[in-house]
Amino acid sequence: MKLIFERGAAGRGCSILPACDVPEVGLRAGKRERELRLPSLSETEINRHYSELEQQVYGVNSGFYPLGSCTMKYNPKINEAAASLPGFAGLHPLQPEHTAQGALELLAGAEKALCEITGMDRMSFQPAAGAHGEFTGLLLIKAYHKKRGEGEKRTKILVPDSAHGTNPASAAMAGFTVVNIPSGPDGCVDLSKLREAAGEDTAGLMLTNPNTVGLFDRNILEITGIVHEAGGLCYYDGANLNAVMGIVRPGDMGFDVVHLNLHKTFSTPHGGGGPGSGPVGCKGFLAPFLPGEMAAEREDGSYGFEIPPETVGAVRSFCGNFLVVVKAYAYILSLGADGIPEAAENAVLNANYMKKKLEKAYRMAYPGTCMHEFVMDLSELKERTGVSALDIAKGLLDGGVHPPTMYFPLIVHEALMFEPTETESRETLDGAAELLLELFRKAQEKPEELHEAPQGAPVKRLDEVQAARKPVLRYSYDS
């Protein structure tokens, strides 16, 4: 007799019930016609194989990794130790609530801390990534307008041209029409264009502040005021919160809903396709629409789950990537109320320190003080020497530095965007700056060498467009 687990009447308990036999067609579909052709290897050979792969991969543990707008910061070991505790790592999502009180208390505590940092009232941990959080936040906005009887009228989402590419994509996926709002000469939102675009058909605004060029928009209260006056809601993309966490809160800037990147701002592992976590927080009037089950403290002091009364529905299974939340909460508790703003201040200090050292040679897209990141404009250098932003980025590889974000944001031609984060030392920043200045000199004297870079990496320069569109796979099932 086969057995399956089924949720109990309370929603979290389990009962074991007999299940029907799997249909024959299902068994045939899952049966292999021939054995897999897998190699027979010794433990030594397998260890050497994975060690070789590890040596070819560059991460924050390898060296400087200033990937702009991604906050590739150091992940403290204590986070991993906390997430590895048997009581957390060994949980099953369907086990009874009374056997998982510690995990539920942690979820409730993490929600409270992140709401305090962002100025929100409630937060769901279901979304599995930043873009997933964007989509979820937009579902809240959509549900809000629908309940008010304006769902069919409010169809447009305003998105600045400096936004992350996922913003317009998420808005389109949620069924909205995207309206592009241009930036002014200062790199911030053009208020006159925003006023022209905002109206009775406006559902909301998606905005990152500090924005993607590393500037805090000094008109932020006016921006959110314009949208609110038009009847829309304001959504905060939390990708750049690392510059202001503990100092200023999105909720105090006028935002109604926010997503966070726990795998950026709160130091959990980042890259490689996951695991990510993009929790969504909101003001109280949007809380009834939040997705899925949420941990909550009961009157007797115990913890359980509650489902928001007008939920948009689950956007992922259970509570999302729980162990990522464990790591983020360990980071928050380790830094505390004093350490959170100190980390933000050091991130801004490091970015301005490095920018100041480089602006003697490189043209900055927007002069003056930046926040956590800065953007260099290499269009003049390319016109004069033929050396592009891509060439400089590839030259960094030969110097042992991971390239920054290239050709983004789109409003800056030949852009290189650096975010040194707060976890790098002054010595590291000095070394990276000197390397970039040396590459600038080489662009004048030996540009051909930069056209051929990198020379010392495991893989030489690729045709990146073809590599993305038509990848050459070494192995296939039949090989």
Side-chain angles (χ1 to χ4, degrees):
M1 180 175 68
K2 296 179 177 63
L3 300 176
I4 61 170
F5 284 102
E6 183 179 88
R7 287 195 172 206
R12 300 301 302 181
C14 317
S15 59
I16 299 178
L17 299 174
C20 298
D21 289 340
V22 177
E24 183 64 27
V25 63
L27 291 174
R28 288 200 306 271
K31 186 176 180 180
R32 298 187 183 280
E33 296 181 358
R34 57 192 173 102
E35 294 297 319
L36 282 174
R37 298 176 61 188
L38 298 175
S40 178
L41 300 171
S42 68
E43 182 178 347
T44 301
E45 290 173 307
I46 292 174
N47 278 329
R48 287 173 178 168
H49 170 71
Y50 284 107
S51 294
E52 180 184 359
L53 292 180
E54 180 187 10
Q55 291 164 9
Q56 293 181 19
V57 174
Y58 192 98
V60 176
N61 58 317
S62 307
F64 191 37
Y65 204 133
L67 202 62
S69 211
C70 284
T71 316
M72 302 293 283
K73 64 204 289 181
Y74 172 69
N75 309 140
K77 298 295 184 184
I78 190 173
N79 298 1
E80 305 302 317
S84 299
L85 292 171
F88 292 142
L91 283 175
H92 190 285
L94 287 176
Q95 70 185 65
E97 290 176 357
H98 73 271
T99 66
Q101 287 295 296
L104 292 171
E105 183 177 355
L106 184 145
L107 285 170
E111 179 186 358
K112 182 179 179 180
L114 291 173
C115 283
E116 174 63 26
I117 291 171
T118 59
M120 297 290 125
D121 296 315
R122 292 302 308 271
M123 188 161 296
S124 169
F125 291 106
Q126 271 212 333
H132 197 193
E134 293 173 14
F135 178 72
T136 303
L138 289 164
L139 292 183
L140 302 187
I141 293 175
K142 196 167 193 175
Y144 169 79
H145 290 306
K146 182 178 180 180
K147 183 181 179 181
R148 290 167 54 87
E150 297 187 337
E152 294 185 2
K153 180 177 72 172
R154 295 193 177 274
T155 59
K156 296 181 179 180
I157 293 291
L158 313 180
V159 182
D161 59 4
S162 64
H164 294 103
T166 50
N167 285 182
S170 296
M173 283 185 63
F176 291 107
T177 299
V178 179
V179 178
N180 181 65
I181 305 298
S183 299
D186 60 353
C188 297
V189 172
D190 186 322
L191 292 178
S192 63
K193 298 297 183 182
L194 178 64
R195 289 192 185 94
E196 290 176 11
E200 292 185 355
D201 57 0
T202 299
L205 165 78
M206 299 183 78
L207 187 72
T208 304
N209 195 37
N211 64 17
T212 306
V213 297
L215 302 174
F216 190 96
D217 201 312
R218 65 184 65 187
N219 298 316
I220 189 61
L221 293 179
E222 190 170 355
I223 290 169
T224 54
I226 291 171
V227 176
H228 284 153
E229 186 177 349
L233 299 183
C234 296
Y235 168 90
Y236 183 88
D237 183 325
N240 295 341
L241 187 71
N242 199 55
V244 295
M245 61 179 182
I247 298 172
V248 63
R249 308 188 307 175
D252 299 332
M253 299 181 209
F255 289 95
D256 307 294
V257 58
V258 56
H259 97 260
L260 301 176
N261 298 88
L262 298 190
H263 52 283
K264 291 185 182 183
T265 311
F266 297 97
S267 85
T268 65
H270 183 181
S277 182
V280 168
C282 64
K283 294 290 191 177
F285 71 93
L286 290 174
F289 306 113
L290 283 168
E293 298 172 322
M294 300 176 64
E297 185 176 4
R298 297 188 173 118
E299 291 183 2
D300 63 0
S302 65
Y303 290 86
F305 284 98
E306 63 181 20
I307 298 177
E310 300 174 83
T311 178
V312 296
V315 295
R316 194 186 182 282
S317 55
F318 306 106
C319 295
N321 288 329
F322 170 68
L323 293 180
V324 177
V325 181
V326 174
K327 296 174 186 181
Y329 196 40
Y331 177 76
I332 293 170
L333 294 179
S334 297
L335 289 183
D338 294 329
I340 293 287
E342 183 182 357
E345 290 166 350
N346 284 334
V348 173
L349 177 64
N350 279 359
N352 281 280
Y353 177 76
M354 190 171 179
K355 180 182 180 183
K356 193 68 177 178
K357 292 182 75 72
L358 293 174
E359 64 185 13
K360 65 182 74 172
Y362 291 95
R363 179 177 180 269
M364 297 297 158
Y366 299 97
T369 302
C370 66
M371 295 299 289
H372 61 303
E373 62 190 7
F374 60 92
V375 181
M376 300 195 311
D377 182 353
L378 274 64
S379 55
E380 186 275 334
L381 179 69
K382 181 180 179 181
E383 183 178 346
R384 183 162 47 83
T385 67
V387 173
S388 65
L390 178 65
D391 292 329
I392 295 294
K394 296 301 183 182
L396 286 170
L397 288 170
D398 280 332
V401 170
H402 194 284
T405 298
M406 300 183 296
Y407 298 112
F408 184 80
L410 299 179
I411 60 175
V412 178
H413 300 296
E414 294 297 324
L416 288 180
M417 180 165 58
F418 287 85
E419 182 181 0
T421 79
E422 76 280 4
T423 52
E424 297 295 347
S425 68
R426 179 174 175 175
E427 290 75 18
T428 297
L429 300 182
D430 286 341
E434 184 52 45
L435 173 59
L436 280 160
L437 293 174
E438 174 59 31
L439 293 175
F440 186 85
R441 289 189 288 270
K442 184 176 287 188
Q444 328 294 320
E445 301 165 5
K446 301 178 181 179
E448 65 282 354
E449 290 189 12
L450 288 174
H451 295 323
E452 300 299 323
Q455 292 297 317
V459 178
K460 303 301 184 286
R461 188 176 296 209
L462 304 172
D463 183 329
E464 299 191 11
V465 174
Q466 290 301 309
R469 294 180 177 176
K470 297 180 180 180
V472 177
L473 305 178
R474 177 182 292 183
Y475 302 109
S476 67
Y477 181 81
D478 296 321
S479 62

